[in-house]
Amino acid sequence: MNNLQVKRHHLTRLGILTLTALLIGCSTTSRYLGYGDSPSRTPVQVEDRSKTLDGAQQWLVLSARSPTPLRQEYQLNAAELLLRANNHDDAKTLLSIIDTSSVDYSLQLRKSLLQGEIAIFEMDARSALRWLQPPEDYPIADELRPQLHSLRGQAFYLSSRWQQSAAERVALEPLLLDPLDVNDNHQIIWLTLSLLSDEALSAAADELPSMLNGWMELLAISRAYRFQASQMESALANWQARYPTHPGMQQRIPDMLAQAREVSRLDGPLALLLPLSGKHAAAGHAIRDGFLAAHYAGKDEGRNGEVRIYDTIGGAEQAYNAALRDGAQLVIGPLRKQAVTDIASIGSLQVPVLALNHALSDTPRNLYQFGLSPEDEIVQIADQALMDGYSSAIALVPNGAWGDRLLQTLQNRWEQFGGEMLEVQRYTSSGSDFSAPIRALLDTDASQSRKRALTRIIGGKVKFEPRRRQDADIIFMLAFPRQARLIRPQLKFHYLGKIPIYATSHVYTGHPDKAKDRDMDGILFCDMPWTLGKSQQHNPLRQQLQTLWPKQMKRSARLYALGIDAYNLAPALNVLANRPGTRVEGESGTLYLDEQHNIRRILRWASFVRGEPRPLVQAAAGVKTPSGAQADEQ
């Protein structure tokens, strides 16, 4: 296998893994359903593959002695069999020599569909969409429509155009004959739209197909009232009146109501174990206050349950045993990694424990781990960059254990799926002048050396503009706000140009500050809904906390979100554990449970525009743009 094949294989695996995580519990059988399960990616048994290749050879022999248009039809049959046998290179070569210019359009479209399928296999969404865009005035044979909509759905998905991808699934539905395929298609629509931000969901408009509009509004209801069963019932009644024949009526509404009722119920007292004294007390207080704010808000919504709080300063195991003696039915905490390890060492846990950190790779029964893991963010920025089509990266990271640990995670994930890390430079966090590592990273020193050599040869002044390296198509930047505010303009000064900069949430304080962040424009970063968009501007709970503890919120905003989500996750643990693939829309991200009992977070994406973080939304052409950016330009 050559390097290009290896890269395609890894990128395809990334797409499959991403989509498998979305489609847990969705067993798709039709060739027109699913993304990772397209015909080109379905494993073929050795004996079947041999027969398939023999069949392709027979079609080619037959085509050699057949006139137009049978020749082209037989050649296309051979190309399709090559794809089914996972022989993409030979299929691509064959398609390149099939002349369909003088045959019926249905044969031309068949060729385009196969070329689009290969482009999807190669993770080339742009080329795939070009192949899969038939002229509007050309008739499309009924037997080709399902394949066209399915492939277009996959291509839009690969280009992160979730709404358009779901729209293709809506168009596919009337063409599906098997009720199981129809149900699976609904699942794919739901999980695809769940990747949209709140802003994109709220953009549902009358010009969209009514069926798609209905799905988007239904998903918005599931997010807005996820812990409020009675309010959800009222909102769903209004939705049903507007969409009386929508398929979500039978499949989604019962699940939404059952989940809302289950996560709204708290049986028995909850125990919250946190460091409330000592050097970690500030973090403990922020999480406690977020937890209690959610608890009191829940009481207003009819959620009952007693909360008892224990300081872990005397040891996590001691606090845990005290909670058990007081009748706790569920324990939230502890916070520090060592404390989580101490709890796990107890052995058999009598009641479920939702630890607020990721400390263990193997978790004992009844232990769940949930925290603001920077490794989770690193994985997401690597995956997003790969899905955005980039493969050659350079990285700027701070010296020290934190930078080393995250760099290792980044490199492992990036290279696992075919990316290449061309260069890594480290900087000293306490400094202010980062020009030396930046010049080394961008290789502008070499450009200056060429200038000096040329000047010596010519013996006079040389009109010269330094150039950065040309082999990198992305830069990963690991930095906190103070460093990021200094590094970004210095990158620009050293001719970074239009190379995208991907970063974790650490570059942003969590509070808009146009004056201090004015030089951060263009940085792409992932962060939690709590700090971005509507969730920040119109969240009554956030506004309440901001009023009560303005200084603490400015310093520890994300820890308050962790506390809120910890409270809301407590009654949802059974749902997450017993219904694989279930997601909970939290303040710290979209939350789901993995096989190791870790609560994982899917974050939102934003970019700095004029010193403010703007959530990324989809433009009409499918290009990601910061929300409100166009209005600002006018």
Side-chain angles (χ1 to χ4, degrees), residues 271-274 309-334 339-340 342-355 364-367:
L272 180 62
L273 278 57
L274 289 170
I309 302 172
Y310 302 83
D311 191 348
T312 56
I313 189 65
E317 186 175 350
Q318 178 180 330
Y320 173 79
N321 290 328
L324 291 184
R325 288 194 299 270
D326 292 340
Q329 297 300 301
L330 190 147
V331 172
I332 297 94
V340 176
D342 293 342
I343 290 290
S345 67
I346 294 173
S348 178
L349 298 174
Q350 296 181 37
V351 299
V353 175
L354 178 63
R365 180 180 171 274
N366 258 358
L367 178 64

Side-chain angles (χ1 to χ4, degrees), residues 378-592:
I378 288 292
V379 167
Q380 288 183 62
I381 67 171
D383 287 357
Q384 188 61 52
L386 287 166
M387 297 299 283
D388 287 345
Y390 302 114
S391 59
S392 300
I394 53 179
L396 189 63
V397 302
N399 287 318
W402 185 82
D404 291 344
R405 190 178 88 240
L406 296 192
L407 175 62
Q408 187 63 56
T409 301
L410 175 63
Q411 285 185 302
N412 290 345
R413 186 69 174 185
W414 185 247
E415 293 169 359
Q416 178 185 0
F417 294 107
E420 183 181 6
M421 189 67 74
L422 302 174
E423 178 82 23
V424 175
Q425 287 293 324
R426 290 173 171 81
Y427 64 88
T428 302
S429 297
S430 59
S432 298
D433 182 1
F434 305 104
S435 57
I438 287 175
R439 286 199 308 269
L441 187 70
L442 301 180
D443 203 23
T444 52
D445 282 342
S447 183
Q448 293 285 359
S449 296
R450 289 192 295 272
K451 174 190 176 183
R452 288 192 292 270
L454 188 60
T455 301
R456 286 196 300 269
I457 293 171
I458 295 177
K461 290 185 178 180
V462 177
K463 188 176 181 181
F464 179 86
E465 182 174 321
R467 297 183 63 201
R468 60 163 175 81
R469 64 190 307 152
Q470 300 297 307
D471 56 348
D473 50 23
I474 183 177
I475 179 171
F476 292 114
M477 182 179 71
L478 302 184
F480 288 91
R482 190 193 77 83
Q483 293 81 15
R485 290 163 175 163
L486 294 168
I487 289 172
R488 178 65 181 101
Q490 291 182 44
L491 283 169
K492 183 178 180 180
F493 178 79
H494 289 287
Y495 308 100
L496 178 68
K498 295 183 178 180
I499 294 183
I501 303 173
Y502 283 65
T504 59
S505 65
H506 303 90
V507 299
Y508 178 46
T509 62
H511 300 270
D513 192 331
K514 284 186 178 182
K516 291 184 178 179
D517 293 334
R518 64 184 183 276
D519 292 324
M520 302 266 275
D521 285 5
I523 294 178
L524 297 162
F525 68 101
C526 57
D527 207 341
M528 58 177 65
W530 181 252
T531 60
L532 297 175
K534 282 188 174 182
S535 185
Q536 183 194 34
Q537 298 169 6
H538 307 294
N539 188 322
L541 200 54
R542 182 183 173 103
Q543 299 305 321
Q544 176 187 349
L545 290 168
Q546 189 73 45
T547 301
L548 292 173
W549 297 291
K551 292 182 179 179
Q552 294 89 331
M553 272 286 288
K554 189 171 185 179
R555 188 169 55 243
S556 307
R558 295 180 179 90
L559 291 177
Y560 283 90
L562 177 62
I564 293 169
D565 281 354
Y567 176 81
N568 289 324
L569 275 173
L573 286 178
N574 282 334
V575 177
L576 294 172
N578 297 324
R579 299 184 189 176
T582 299
R583 296 178 174 198
V584 173
E585 296 295 335
E587 301 295 352
S588 63
T590 300
L591 311 175
Y592 67 95

Side-chain angles (χ1 to χ4, degrees), residues 114-131:
L114 294 173
Q115 289 170 311
E117 186 176 325
I118 291 173
I120 290 170
F121 174 81
E122 296 176 342
M123 306 296 282
D124 184 355
R126 182 174 298 179
S127 295
L129 288 170
R130 187 173 65 249
W131 290 120

Side-chain angles (χ1 to χ4, degrees), residues 26-34 37 42 178-182 184:
C26 176
S27 56
T28 296
T29 55
S30 169
R31 65 172 288 184
Y32 303 118
L33 285 174
D37 62 341
T42 303
D178 188 331
L180 292 177
D181 288 344
V182 173
D184 288 346

Side-chain angles (χ1 to χ4, degrees), residues 193-226:
L193 290 175
S194 72
L195 297 169
L196 290 172
S197 66
D198 293 342
E199 289 76 15
L201 279 181
S202 66
D206 292 338
E207 61 266 21
L208 294 175
S210 174
M211 193 71 70
L212 180 61
N213 233 357
W215 282 117
M216 293 174 67
E217 289 186 20
L218 191 60
L219 186 59
I221 290 171
S222 76
R223 287 186 183 176
Y225 306 107
R226 58 194 181 277

